[in-house]
């Protein structure tokens, strides 16, 4: 690893001031589980002079429930989110998503803000510099996407254009399905937007002097049914090959509203709107779930080696919709 | 060159003040500056768990922990597990069941097991598997490690009778 300096921020304002004063040579660190991997392998041509430690900001790791919903500080650890009894009871999709991330050690360190901001896992993008040189690809602003002609078994089957890496965040799809908002703090103050609008095909909308401050989730109604299912090659530790989070409003046996998001299949959390339209207003039986599963992958454009993901997504959609809980 | 920084942290109950490089990992400081070589350097990417230690009682991979993040915190390593000359029941059980082969994963396994038993005094085999899911072992096939943790649970219960 190349050398860097390490400074502690005492407040969000101070972190933003530090980002500004280091002018692009400062990088934020919270749990560090993603950023240190990136630095150790020197996958990016740009290397920071300094890491700005957010974990020293007091109070930004709180999990607060109110009558209106849940406020989660960006520094809340995934382990605390997974084990919170309130989140288990009212926001099970989020609880399961947080629990599904990596290993106990990583969940102790990793934060919800970091989980949403983490970089992609594409093996071309992540190729270590010390093993023959980093790969300069479209995502790094120079070159093609090597996944198109290469081994693309874990790449996008939907929504890919110039880069086919998938958004790896498990909590992102759960939070999108729960209609979470994200509060961003920066030089120009605080802005809040629906989490879905946070993600872009090449990452997210964070500006160079901004950080994620808080996640706000409205309280689900009594009629809400939630599911989160993640398909991995090994049960724990792995990133999702494909995953689903859904939040359904069921009233008198009918599905009044539905939000279905897919993970691991697209550069962003994938909103399966066509599947939602099919199940809205009717009862959730086997044929409807089957039809929704087909609709969820309509228009998918698999690469040479990842068409298998489409079959997995269909199975996940069906399972999640028919799950009784 | 960047200036070294002062780091004060507790390791296994003893306060240490050391001057560290700002980019040093906790793993490097433990092994190379405090001579605590029980904590192993494996993948250095947070995947293998060989470098697991506890910070304020919670398991972390020390390879991905900048040492300066431990300012004022309390770190426990495998060297702190025994009580005087007496091994911790988990250490005894690992020896007795053959859970140690090459030994490279052992200290990480012990630290994760210790945290698991602090949270859950009577884990099932499945809960042990989940608790140790961040620790890779390429020798044992894990069977003896799970037996060791189950055996340690018994030992701890008997000692409390």
């Amino acid at each position: 690893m190349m050398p860097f300096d390490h400074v502690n921020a005492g407040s969000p304002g101070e972190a933003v001031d530090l980002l500004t004063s280091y002018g692009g040579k400062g990088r934020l660190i919270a749990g560090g589980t993603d950023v240190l991997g990136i630095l150790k392998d020197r996958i990016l041509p740009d290397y920071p002079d300094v890491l700005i430690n957010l974990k020293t900001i007091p109070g930004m790791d709180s999990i607060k429930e109110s009558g209106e919903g849940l406020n989660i500080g960006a520094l809340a650890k995934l382990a605390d989110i997974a084990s919170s009894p309130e989140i288990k009871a009212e926001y099970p999709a989020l609880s399961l998503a947080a629990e599904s991330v990596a290993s106990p050690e990583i969940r102790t360190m990793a934060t919800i803000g970091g989980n949403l901001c983490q970089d992609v896992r594409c093996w071309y993008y992540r190729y270590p510099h010390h093993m023959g040189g980093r790969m300069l690809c479209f995502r790094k602003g120079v070159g093609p996407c090597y996944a198109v002609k290469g081994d693309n078994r874990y790449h996008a089957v939907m929504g890919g254009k110039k880069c086919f890496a998938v958004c790896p965040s498990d909590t992102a799809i759960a939070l999108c399905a729960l209609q979470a908002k994200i509060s961003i703090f920066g030089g120009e103050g605080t802005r809040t937007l629906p989490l879905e609008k946070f993600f872009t095909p090449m990452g997210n909308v964070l500006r160079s002097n901004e950080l994620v401050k808080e996640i706000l989730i409205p309280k689900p109604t009594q009629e809400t049914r939630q599911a989160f299912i993640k398909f991995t090659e090994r049960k724990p530790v792995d990133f999702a090959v494909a995953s689903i989070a859904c939040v359904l409003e069921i009233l008198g046996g009918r599905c009044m509203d539905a939000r279905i998001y897919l993970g691991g299949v697209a550069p962003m959390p994938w909103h399966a709107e066509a599947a939602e339209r099919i199940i809205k207003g009717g009862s959730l039986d086997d044929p409807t779930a089957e039809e929704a599963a087909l609709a969820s992958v309509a228009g998918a454009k698999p690469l040479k080696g990842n068409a298998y993901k489409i079959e997995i997504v269909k199975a996940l959609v069906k399972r999640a919709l028919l799950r009784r809980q | 060159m960047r200036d070294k920084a002062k780091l004060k942290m507790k390791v296994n109950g003893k306060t240490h003040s050391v001057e560290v490089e700002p980019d040093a990992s906790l793993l490097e400081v433990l092994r190379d500056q405090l001579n605590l070589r029980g904590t192993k350097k494996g993948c250095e990417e947070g995947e293998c768990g060989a470098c697991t230690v506890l910070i304020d009682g919670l398991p972390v991979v020390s390879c991905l922990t900048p040492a300066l993040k431990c300012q004022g915190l309390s770190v426990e390593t495998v060297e702190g597990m025994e009580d005087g000359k007496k091994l911790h029941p988990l250490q005894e059980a690992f020896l007795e069941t053959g859970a140690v082969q090459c030994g490279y994963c052992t200290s990480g396994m012990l630290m994760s097991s210790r945290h698991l038993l602090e949270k859950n005094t009577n884990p099932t085999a499945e809960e042990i598997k989940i608790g140790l899911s961040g620790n890779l072992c390429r020798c044992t096939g894990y069977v003896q490690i799970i037996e060791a943790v189950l055996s340690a649970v018994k030992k701890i219960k008997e000692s409390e009778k």
Side-chain angles (χ1 to χ4, degrees), chain A residues 12 30-31 54-64 70-81 84 87 108-113 212-215, chain B residues 58:
Chain A
L54 300 176
K55 279 256 174 115
T56 38
I57 301 176
M60 224 169 93
D61 62 349
S62 63
I63 299 174
K64 281 181 290 200
L70 192 67
N71 292 15
I72 306 179
L75 296 177
K77 292 171 184 166
L78 295 179
D80 293 337
I81 290 168
S84 153
I87 298 180
T108 300
M109 304 165 75
T111 63
I112 186 84
V212 177
K213 201 174 159 204
E214 201 175 22
I215 314 296
Chain B
L58 297 171

Side-chain angles (χ1 to χ4, degrees), chain B residues 25-98:
Chain B
S25 68
L26 174 61
L27 173 68
E28 288 163 343
V29 172
L30 288 172
R31 287 180 58 86
D32 302 338
Q33 291 188 254
L34 302 180
N35 286 322
L36 295 169
R37 305 236 165 98
T39 306
K40 299 299 179 206
K41 186 172 181 171
C43 70
E44 276 201 277
E45 297 198 330
E47 288 178 17
C48 76
C51 67
T52 304
V53 300
L54 306 184
I55 297 183
D56 285 351
L58 297 171
V60 302
V61 281
S62 57
C63 70
L64 292 185
T65 306
L68 286 175
K69 279 196 163 213
C70 303
Q71 197 72 261
L73 303 182
S74 177
V75 179
E76 287 166 83
T77 70
V78 70
E79 287 89 348
M81 272 186 89
E82 56 185 64
D83 181 9
K85 289 276 171 216
K86 189 166 162 43
L87 291 179
H88 188 279
L90 272 166
Q91 291 175 304
E92 281 179 3
F94 266 63
L95 289 174
E96 288 162 9
T97 55

Side-chain angles (χ1 to χ4, degrees), chain A residues 153-154 230-233 239-243 263-265 308-309 312:
Chain A
R153 71 185 87 171
Y154 299 126
K230 171 173 168 180
F231 182 89
T232 54
E233 290 188 340
F239 286 93
V241 169
S243 57
V265 291
Y308 76 101
K309 282 195 178 191
I312 294 171

Side-chain angles (χ1 to χ4, degrees), chain A residues 111-152:
Chain A
T111 63
I112 186 84
N115 189 262
L116 296 173
C117 294
Q118 68 184 305
D119 213 340
V120 295
R121 307 300 307 183
C122 167
W123 45 29
Y124 299 107
Y125 180 77
R126 289 256 174 182
Y127 191 81
H129 190 55
H130 56 83
M131 288 167 69
R134 67 176 71 85
M135 299 185 77
L136 294 173
C137 66
F138 184 80
R139 202 175 180 89
K140 294 174 189 171
V142 258
C145 174
Y146 292 99
V148 175
K149 288 187 181 167
D151 187 335
N152 45 39

